[in-house]
């Protein structure tokens, strides 16, 4: 039998692979094994490492020493084996989980483990058909340079898995070297570490778990080990770094199975989703670029731009944009009008409809692709309710007797008192979230005031700028100020949201993460999108008219330029989206380096970051080298998901105002994917494998964003752009069906003498008697001057009608897409049913064989001598043990196949021969 420490493969408890399994003894004798992954005996593997710093001058050192002693004694009482090493002032406690501990906790955690190779399993094909597999044969020559290089990452051998049980251990080949992979071992050890108590003052309820000890400074770190250096040949880490994390491999598909085996299901699923999202952005980017090029080439023929830029000596005097501003000429906005047309043109409607269709298509195809991954990684039968309660949850309910029986685990658990704990925490959390949302609106108001002040300063200064330049500069600078405020508020939001979620007493880590995700995303949504919603739907909509402006706190509201607010919306969106992505990319590259330097200063190991380490000791100190890396954390993926989902909102919700958003998102994601991979492999300790079934609450958020995008894009086209007024003018006003005269159609006239403020601004300029402003109102010569004209109500009715038609058409398309694309392919559904059937048949057959064998043993006990009984017991394990007195009885009760197995020294139930032990 192989030693329990002989685990060299990488993997988790889903898809199983034995490609990298090997016996450490054999490789150690040949000098081909990294001994730093094992105890001093080179047999027992290091499954986890605890590190702490020795500081005799620290006042709490005696107390910390006692905590460590008790904590490690509790670990030993659970069956874990420890070995201590010291390097300078740092002590390392290396932990090994023996086979018996792994068996016990694998059953407690209900881990799915690989079953033995039993005849009948091979009839089911484990590799499912991809949704794009039909294209492979057509473009095989070209696609081989895009798909995963099978020379580097060979296809993995899959096996059936089942929930591990010691009662049914005959179904599992636990003696195989890699049965308990490194990922499974580290997960089991972490489960034990999270639940062991240590001494504390006043018997504190929270005095347990390695996280608490690290927070109190008793330990510095707790982590599993990487399998080698990034430049060390023959390790999975080096292969992933060279062929996955490199930016120049951006065009290749990701080796998802190998990523999942090394980092676990949760991280593997994130990269699967990110890769698929980036792949789908390619189509949206191409269409967006085509729409932008169409607007660029058709700009020269756009009549309103010609009217503004080529009027010659005929100028149109516009009313001031603020109380301190002067009158200005419309031709100053020539460049602004050109930029506006690049966004607001006939292709805008098409692209908005296409992106609504794309968002639905992406989610439906992801569900289908996710079902394939779920099946391939053996997560189909995983239930989140099988998850054990969080230790923090049980600690806070320790004084409450268990009264509720969980319907999945059938274990008695305490129930959170509703009136005493649950309701107050929920009300408090809800109130704080509302307060934080209000704070985001205060920040928005500050940005609006800044933008108005900047515009006035640029127009009234000693060297006033043109109106077009002033609007663009004021909008861009306000967007940068808004971006800085976003990062400040986000830092505060994240910490408060985590504290509030802890108060809500969620039972499992999945429920905790989902609640935290919803809180932070809600706050981030308001924080990032509030200013964009303001420009899109409120700015310039309720300003009134010259002589009778609607004022707020005795100040005029912001106005849009003559071309509307769509260009300002585009500038705001582009700066926040692109600026946020660029800033995050810089942080992802340099921030891990900075924190590693900080870590070195904290633990006094700055000399270990020398670029020329001792080559003789480098390979023997894997636990030491990993100690210098940053901790990934249980929620390390949260900021990555949040960044991508916020980007998805920019790409879909406001895409009508920024058709190049998918293109910039594609460029960012190509870089993001490889930088995330490099960050994980080079700067972070190896994460503990976590098992999930899907991307969780993020999918529901993406679905809500897709539905919201239909509404927002419809209203942006109808009310923010000039598409509807142009359409009305072409069909009901223009005599020749063109836009000739459209500019004058959109401008109303105001008599300067009707407003004392404007009359004083005009001063000695006797030639200015009237000014123009963008609105549909009656002229000064009308008896009902300055009231809204009938054309305003006609256009308003058309806007509302367009919204209704647009929403219903897109909703119909989305329903049709969902109907045409089922969540799971027919082939995959049939395959899952077939696998369930075959698995059940195998278990039933093995149970029947086991029952017959046990019955035969009991029946034969009266015919056997004590020596015979010993041989009978030994025959299950030893190849030379034979049943010598009961051949006739066995022949009558066992099948010929089972009899042959016994004669050859094998157990007829497990099929394990003595030579395999």
């Amino acid at each position: 039998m192989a030693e329990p420490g002989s685990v060299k493969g990488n993997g988790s408890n889903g898809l199983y692979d034995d490609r990298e399994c090997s016996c450490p003894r054999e490789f150690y004798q040949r000098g081909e094994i990294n001994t730093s992954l094992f105890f001093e005996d080179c047999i027992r593997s290091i499954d986890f490492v605890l590190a702490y710093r020795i500081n005799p001058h620290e006042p709490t050192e005696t107390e910390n020493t006692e905590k460590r002693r008790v904590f490690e004694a509790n670990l030993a009482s659970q069956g874990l084996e420890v070995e201590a090493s010291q390097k300078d002032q740092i002590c390392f406690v290396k932990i090994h989980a023996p086979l018996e501990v792994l068996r016990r906790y694998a059953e407690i955690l209900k881990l799915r483990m690989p079953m033995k190779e039993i005849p009948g399993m091979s009839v089911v094909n484990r590799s499912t058909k991809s949704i794009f597999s039909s294209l492979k044969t057509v473009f095989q020559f070209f696609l081989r340079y895009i798909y995963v290089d099978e020379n580097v990452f060979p296809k993995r051998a899959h096996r059936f898995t089942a929930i591990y049980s010691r009662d049914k251990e005959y179904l599992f080949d636990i003696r195989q070297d890699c049965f308990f992979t490194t990922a499974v071992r580290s997960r089991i050890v972490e489960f034990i570490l999270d639940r062991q108590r240590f001494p504390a003052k006043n018997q504190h309820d929270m005095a347990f778990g390695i996280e608490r000890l690290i927070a109190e400074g008793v330990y510095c770190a707790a982590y599993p080990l990487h399998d080698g250096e990034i430049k060390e040949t023959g390790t999975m880490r080096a292969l992933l770094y060279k062929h996955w994390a490199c930016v120049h491999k951006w065009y290749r598909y990701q080796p998802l199975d190998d990523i999942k085996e090394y980092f676990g299901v949760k991280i593997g699923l994130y990269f699967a989703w990110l890769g698929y999202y980036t792949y789908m952005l390619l189509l949206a980017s191409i269409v967006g670029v085509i729409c932008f090029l169409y607007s660029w080439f058709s700009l020269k023929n756009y009549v309103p731009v010609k009217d503004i830029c080529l009027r010659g000596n005929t100028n149109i005097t516009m009313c001031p944009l603020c109380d301190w501003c002067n009158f200005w000429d419309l031709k100053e906005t020539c460049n602004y009008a050109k930029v506006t047309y690049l966004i607001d043109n006939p292709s805008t409607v098409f692209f908005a409809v296409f992106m609504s269709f794309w968002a639905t298509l992406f989610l439906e195809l992801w569900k289908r692709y996710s079902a394939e991954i779920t099946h391939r990684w053996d997560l189909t039968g995983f239930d989140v309710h099988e998850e054990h309660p969080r230790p923090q949850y049980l600690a806070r309910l320790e004084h409450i007797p268990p009264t509720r029986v969980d319907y999945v685990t059938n274990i008695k658990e305490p129930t959170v008192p509703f009136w005493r704990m649950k309701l107050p925490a929920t009300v408090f959390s809800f109130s704080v979230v509302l307060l934080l949302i209000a704070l985001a609106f205060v920040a928005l108001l500050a940005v609006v005031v800044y933008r108005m002040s900047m515009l006035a300063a640029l127009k009234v200064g000693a060297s006033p700028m043109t109106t077009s330049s002033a609007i663009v500069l004021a909008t861009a600078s306000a967007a940068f100020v808004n971006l800085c405020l976003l990062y400040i508020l986000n830092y505060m939001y994240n910490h408060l949201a985590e504290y509030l979620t802890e108060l809500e007493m969620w039972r499992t880590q999945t429920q905790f993460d989902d609640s935290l995700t919803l809180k932070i995303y809600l706050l981030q949504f308001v924080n990032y999108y509030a200013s964009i919603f303001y420009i899109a739907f409120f700015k310039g909509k309720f300003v009134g008219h010259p002589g009778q402006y609607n004022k707020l706190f005795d100040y005029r509201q912001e106005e849009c330029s003559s071309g509307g607010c769509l260009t300002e919306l585009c500038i705001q969106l582009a700066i926040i989206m692109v600026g946020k992505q660029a800033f995050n990319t810089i942080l992802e590259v340099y921030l891990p380096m900075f924190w590693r330097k900080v870590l070195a200063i904290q633990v006094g190991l700055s000399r270990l970051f020398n670029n020329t380490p001792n080559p003789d000791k480098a390979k023997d100190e894997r636990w030491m080298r990993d100690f210098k890396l940053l901790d990934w954390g249980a929620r390390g993926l949260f900021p990555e998901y949040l960044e991508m989902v916020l980007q998805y909102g920019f790409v879909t919700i406001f895409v009508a105002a920024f058709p190049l958003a998918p293109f910039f998102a594609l460029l960012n994601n190509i870089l993001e994917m490889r930088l995330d991979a490099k960050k994980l492999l080079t700067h972070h300790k190896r994460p503990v494998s976590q098992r999930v079934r899907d991307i969780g609450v993020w999918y529901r958020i993406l679905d809500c964003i897709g539905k919201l995008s239909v509404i927002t894009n419809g209203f942006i086209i109808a009310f923010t752009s000039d598409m509807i007024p142009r359409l009305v003018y072409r069909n009901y006003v223009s005599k020749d069906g063109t836009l000739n005269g459209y500019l004058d159609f959109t401008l109303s006239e105001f008599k300067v003498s009707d407003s004392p403020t404007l009359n004083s601004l005009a001063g000695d300029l006797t030639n200015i008697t009237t000014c123009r402003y963008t609105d549909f109102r009656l002229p000064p010569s009308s008896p009902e001057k300055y009231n809204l004209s009938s054309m305003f109500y006609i256009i308003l009715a058309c806007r509302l009608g367009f919204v209704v038609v647009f929403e219903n058409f897109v909703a119909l398309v989305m329903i049709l897409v969902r109907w045409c694309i089922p969540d799971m392919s027919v082939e995959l559904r049939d395959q899952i049913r077939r696998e369930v059937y075959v698995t059940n048949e195998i278990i039933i057959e093995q149970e029947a064989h086991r029952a017959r064998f046990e019955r035969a043993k009991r029946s034969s006990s009266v015919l056997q001598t004590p020596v015979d009984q010993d041989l009978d017991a030994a025959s299950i394990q030893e190849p030379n043990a034979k049943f010598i007195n009961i051949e006739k009885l066995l022949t009558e009760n066992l099948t010929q196949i089972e009899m042959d197995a016994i004669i050859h020294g094998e157990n007829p139930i497990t099929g394990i021969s003595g030579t395999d032990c």
Side-chain angles (χ1 to χ4, degrees):
M1 173 178 171
E3 293 292 337
S6 58
V7 178
K8 194 72 172 70
N10 299 308
S12 69
N13 56 320
L15 175 147
Y16 177 78
D17 171 67
D18 58 0
R19 177 162 57 89
E20 296 184 5
C21 297
S22 57
C23 176
R25 285 181 174 176
E26 177 187 352
F27 280 77
Y28 177 63
Q29 292 170 357
R30 299 203 310 248
E32 299 178 9
I33 192 169
N34 189 346
T35 57
S36 64
L37 299 176
F38 296 88
F39 278 20
E40 292 295 333
D41 57 13
C42 293
I43 295 176
R44 292 173 293 172
S45 62
I46 300 176
D47 300 323
F48 227 88
V49 176
L50 307 180
Y52 61 90
R53 185 181 183 186
I54 301 175
N55 190 355
H57 305 292
E58 186 72 26
T60 59
E61 182 62 26
T62 303
E63 180 183 349
N64 291 345
T65 302
E66 178 62 17
K67 289 180 179 179
R68 287 192 290 265
R69 185 192 67 79
V70 175
F71 185 75
E72 291 169 16
N74 290 336
L75 296 181
S77 67
Q78 295 295 318
L80 296 179
E81 299 174 0
V82 298
E83 181 180 88
S85 297
Q86 184 172 345
K87 180 73 173 180
D88 297 329
Q89 297 296 317
I90 306 297
C91 284
F92 296 90
V93 179
K94 295 169 281 186
I95 300 174
H96 169 73
L99 180 61
E100 181 56 36
V101 174
L102 297 174
R103 292 171 61 238
R104 182 169 71 250
Y105 278 93
E107 185 174 29
I108 292 173
L109 293 173
K110 300 187 184 320
L111 300 183
R112 297 188 68 89
M113 305 301 292
M115 298 170 63
K116 288 170 34 182
E117 289 287 355
I118 299 175
M121 285 188 176
S122 58
V123 298
V124 179
N125 179 18
R126 290 288 290 170
S127 59
T128 56
K129 187 177 180 181
S130 171
I131 56 175
F132 299 111
S133 58
S134 59
L135 298 176
K136 291 182 180 179
T137 55
V138 181
F139 305 105
Q140 191 67 40
F141 177 78
F142 301 99
L143 294 179
R144 65 179 180 177
Y145 297 103
I146 299 175
Y147 288 123
V148 177
D149 188 356
E150 295 186 1
N151 295 323
V152 179
F153 301 102
K155 287 186 177 181
R156 293 178 171 265
H158 305 289
R159 287 191 184 181
F160 277 85
T161 64
I163 295 177
Y164 179 81
S165 172
R166 285 180 289 180
D167 292 338
K168 295 183 175 60
E169 207 163 61
Y170 56 85
L171 293 173
F172 308 95
D173 192 359
I174 64 170
R175 293 170 176 81
Q176 188 169 10
D177 290 339
C178 290
F179 181 75
F180 290 106
T181 61
T182 53
V184 173
R185 301 173 76 95
S186 62
R187 182 183 176 191
I188 290 175
V189 174
E190 186 193 46
F191 183 84
I192 299 173
L193 292 174
D194 285 340
R195 285 157 176 80
Q196 300 308 307
R197 301 196 70 86
F198 55 86
K201 296 178 180 178
N202 302 325
Q203 295 297 320
H204 196 278
D205 290 343
M206 302 297 288
F208 70 93
I210 189 62
E211 288 186 9
R212 186 80 177 184
L213 288 172
I214 292 175
E216 294 180 0
V218 180
Y219 288 100
C220 297
Y223 52 93
L225 297 179
H226 283 289
D227 66 346
E229 288 297 309
I230 56 176
K231 296 183 179 180
E232 181 180 342
T233 58
T235 65
M236 181 56 68
R237 187 186 183 194
L239 281 178
L240 291 173
Y241 180 80
K242 182 178 180 180
H243 298 281
W244 172 50
C246 292
V247 178
H248 67 268
K249 298 283 186 180
W250 65 268
Y251 56 90
R252 279 202 177 272
Y253 279 19
Q254 302 178 96
L256 294 177
D257 289 341
D258 297 87
I259 296 169
K260 173 257 178 186
E261 287 297 306
Y262 193 77
F263 291 113
V265 173
K266 191 172 185 178
I267 292 179
L269 203 57
Y270 163 73
F271 281 104
W273 176 82
L274 178 59
Y276 197 79
Y277 170 49
T278 305
Y279 177 76
M280 290 294 292
L281 277 174
L282 182 62
L283 176 62
S285 302
I286 293 174
V287 177
V289 170
I290 291 174
C291 291
F292 180 79
L293 292 177
Y294 164 80
S295 62
W296 182 274
F297 290 115
S298 61
L299 172 63
K300 59 184 179 181
N301 299 322
Y302 186 55
V303 175
V305 171
K306 292 181 179 179
D307 291 342
I308 294 174
C309 300
L310 304 177
R311 274 186 171 266
N313 295 327
T314 305
N315 294 330
I316 297 179
T317 302
M318 303 295 293
C319 299
L321 294 175
C322 61
D323 289 335
W324 307 279
C325 301
N326 295 320
F327 296 92
W328 53 283
D329 293 332
L330 183 61
K331 66 180 180 181
E332 294 178 10
T333 61
C334 175
N335 294 330
Y336 188 87
K338 293 178 180 178
V339 174
T340 300
Y341 177 75
L342 296 178
I343 307 163
D344 186 7
N345 57 78
S347 67
T348 303
V349 180
F350 164 76
F351 191 56
V353 174
F354 170 80
M355 286 304 297
S356 299
F357 167 78
W358 176 88
T360 305
L361 187 67
F362 163 64
L363 291 178
E364 293 304 311
L365 289 180
W366 164 251
K367 280 197 295 186
R368 191 179 174 97
Y369 181 60
S370 177
E372 180 187 341
I373 292 179
T374 299
H375 171 262
R376 194 166 83 227
W377 291 353
D378 214 355
L379 306 171
T380 306
F382 177 66
D383 190 347
V384 294
H385 292 94
E386 296 175 4
E387 202 174 344
H388 282 255
R390 299 169 60 238
Q392 296 87 344
Y393 169 86
L394 294 177
R396 294 187 62 186
L397 297 178
E398 195 172 31
H399 60 285
I400 299 175
T403 56
R404 183 183 69 90
V405 178
D406 187 82
Y407 67 93
V408 175
T409 61
N410 201 30
I411 299 175
K412 272 195 171 185
E413 296 177 3
T415 304
V416 181
F418 179 78
W419 296 103
R420 185 158 53 91
M421 299 181 71
K422 191 73 174 178
L423 182 62
T426 303
V427 172
F428 177 72
S429 178
F430 182 74
S431 303
V432 174
V433 169
L434 288 181
L435 179 63
L436 294 176
I437 291 175
L439 185 61
F441 283 110
V442 171
L444 170 63
L445 182 61
V447 172
V448 170
V449 172
Y450 169 83
R451 185 164 49 233
M452 294 173 62
S453 303
M454 178 62 69
L455 180 62
L458 294 174
K459 289 292 292 178
V460 182
S463 55
M465 300 178 64
T466 62
T467 302
S468 178
S469 301
I471 292 174
V472 172
L473 184 58
T475 302
S477 62
F480 277 113
V481 171
N482 190 21
L483 186 62
C484 295
L485 288 176
L486 294 181
Y487 277 97
I488 296 174
L489 292 176
N490 287 344
Y491 180 80
M492 180 174 60
Y493 288 166
N494 292 343
H495 287 77
L496 282 175
E498 189 167 344
Y499 170 74
L500 295 173
T501 308
E502 195 67 60
L503 291 179
E504 293 174 357
M505 301 289 292
W506 293 106
R507 176 181 173 272
T508 65
Q509 189 64 43
T510 299
Q511 293 172 334
F512 180 91
D513 291 343
D514 287 351
S515 178
L516 179 65
T517 298
L518 288 174
K519 281 188 190 64
I520 293 185
Y521 182 75
L522 176 62
L523 296 172
Q524 299 274 31
F525 183 91
V526 176
N527 201 18
Y528 277 103
Y529 300 144
S531 60
I532 301 175
F533 270 99
Y534 164 75
I535 295 176
F537 303 118
F538 297 100
K539 183 179 179 181
K541 300 297 188 295
F542 313 102
V543 295
H545 61 85
Q548 192 178 347
Y549 286 110
N550 298 323
K551 295 190 175 182
L552 185 65
F553 302 114
D554 203 30
Y555 288 97
R556 276 178 59 180
Q557 299 180 44
E558 283 189 293
E559 289 188 52
C560 297
S561 182
S562 59
C565 287
L566 200 61
T567 301
E568 295 180 48
L569 177 63
C570 177
I571 295 173
Q572 182 84 3
L573 183 63
I575 289 178
I576 291 179
M577 176 185 171
V578 179
K580 174 180 175 296
Q581 292 181 166
F583 187 68
N584 284 345
T585 300
I586 294 174
L587 287 181
E588 288 192 357
V589 172
Y590 294 105
L591 198 59
M593 301 179 186
F594 170 77
W595 286 120
R596 288 185 65 184
K597 292 292 184 182
V598 172
L599 177 64
I601 296 172
Q602 287 178 345
V603 299
L605 290 177
S606 58
R607 66 177 188 82
L608 294 177
F609 287 86
N610 193 335
N611 292 328
T612 58
N614 188 343
D616 297 331
K617 295 186 178 181
K619 69 174 184 177
D620 296 327
E621 299 177 349
R622 178 74 268 149
W623 34 270
M624 186 67 177
R625 300 178 72 84
D626 281 5
F627 174 72
K628 298 181 292 182
L629 302 177
L630 301 175
D631 185 30
W632 178 250
R635 289 183 290 276
L637 282 179
F638 179 82
E640 310 297 337
Y641 270 118
L642 181 63
E643 180 184 354
M644 289 297 102
V645 172
L646 287 172
Q647 180 202 89
Y648 182 80
F650 288 125
V651 168
T652 55
I653 298 178
F654 306 103
V655 73
F658 190 29
L660 292 179
F663 176 72
F664 284 108
L666 176 66
L667 296 181
N668 173 81
N669 289 5
I670 291 174
L671 191 61
E672 173 80 15
M673 196 185 310
R674 308 300 166 173
L675 289 179
D676 284 347
K678 187 174 183 179
K679 178 175 64 176
L680 263 172
L681 289 166
T682 59
H683 296 300
H684 287 274
K685 299 178 178 70
R686 186 175 182 176
V688 178
S689 173
Q690 292 178 277
R691 194 162 188 251
V692 294
R693 184 173 180 176
D694 48 35
I695 61 175
V697 72
W698 294 111
Y699 180 84
R700 297 198 295 274
I701 293 175
L702 293 172
D703 190 40
C704 292
I705 291 175
K707 293 181 173 64
L708 179 63
S709 68
V710 179
I711 301 173
T712 55
N713 284 309
F715 275 91
I716 287 175
I717 294 172
F719 289 92
T720 307
S721 74
D722 278 350
M723 194 203 77
I724 301 301
R726 289 197 300 264
L727 191 64
V728 172
Y729 184 81
R730 282 178 180 273
N731 292 278
Y732 298 102
V733 179
S734 177
K735 296 180 180 179
D736 55 0
T738 64
L739 291 178
N740 292 323
Y742 172 74
L743 183 62
D744 292 328
F745 170 75
T746 59
L747 298 177
S748 297
E749 185 179 10
F750 184 80
K751 191 174 182 180
V752 175
S753 58
D754 290 341
S755 171
T757 303
L758 295 184
N759 200 24
S760 62
L761 286 174
D764 299 331
L765 301 175
T766 56
N767 60 327
I768 300 180
T769 57
T770 61
C771 63
R772 309 293 291 274
Y773 60 98
T774 305
D775 207 343
F776 295 96
R777 294 181 179 271
L778 297 174
S781 59
S782 173
E784 299 179 352
K785 60 181 181 180
Y786 309 136
N787 286 339
L788 294 172
S789 64
S790 59
M791 186 56 64
F792 171 84
Y793 294 102
I794 293 174
I795 293 176
L796 178 62
C798 292
R799 292 182 195 268
L800 295 175
F802 172 81
V803 170
V804 173
V805 173
F806 180 85
E807 307 289 343
N808 284 276
F809 174 74
V810 174
L812 182 63
V813 172
M814 294 171 69
I815 293 172
L816 185 63
V817 170
R818 288 193 172 95
W819 179 77
C820 293
I821 304 176
D823 295 349
M824 185 183 297
S825 65
V826 177
E827 296 88 348
L828 179 58
R829 184 181 294 110
D830 293 341
Q831 182 135 332
I832 291 175
R833 291 172 179 170
R834 173 64 177 161
E835 289 178 3
V836 171
Y837 171 79
V838 171
T839 304
N840 290 336
E841 287 295 311
I842 291 170
I843 294 175
I844 292 172
E845 183 180 356
Q846 292 298 307
E847 285 288 343
H849 287 181
R850 184 188 191 195
R852 289 199 300 270
F853 184 72
E854 293 294 335
R855 186 171 66 252
K857 287 176 60 178
R858 289 194 299 269
S859 301
S860 65
S861 61
V862 295
L863 302 177
Q864 286 184 279
T865 64
V867 176
D868 296 332
Q869 293 177 7
D870 292 340
L871 288 174
D872 178 39
S875 67
I876 299 177
Q877 302 295 335
E878 299 297 330
N880 297 322
K882 305 289 191 294
F883 287 101
I884 54 181
N885 292 326
I886 55 168
E887 287 189 46
K888 182 178 180 181
L889 185 61
L890 288 175
T891 306
E892 293 175 352
N893 288 275
L894 301 177
T895 64
Q896 184 60 43
I897 295 177
E898 293 166 338
M899 189 64 200
D900 292 340
I902 293 174
I903 297 302
H904 289 88
E906 297 180 351
N907 187 325
I909 301 163
T910 61
I912 300 175
S913 66
T915 55
D916 295 330
C917 298

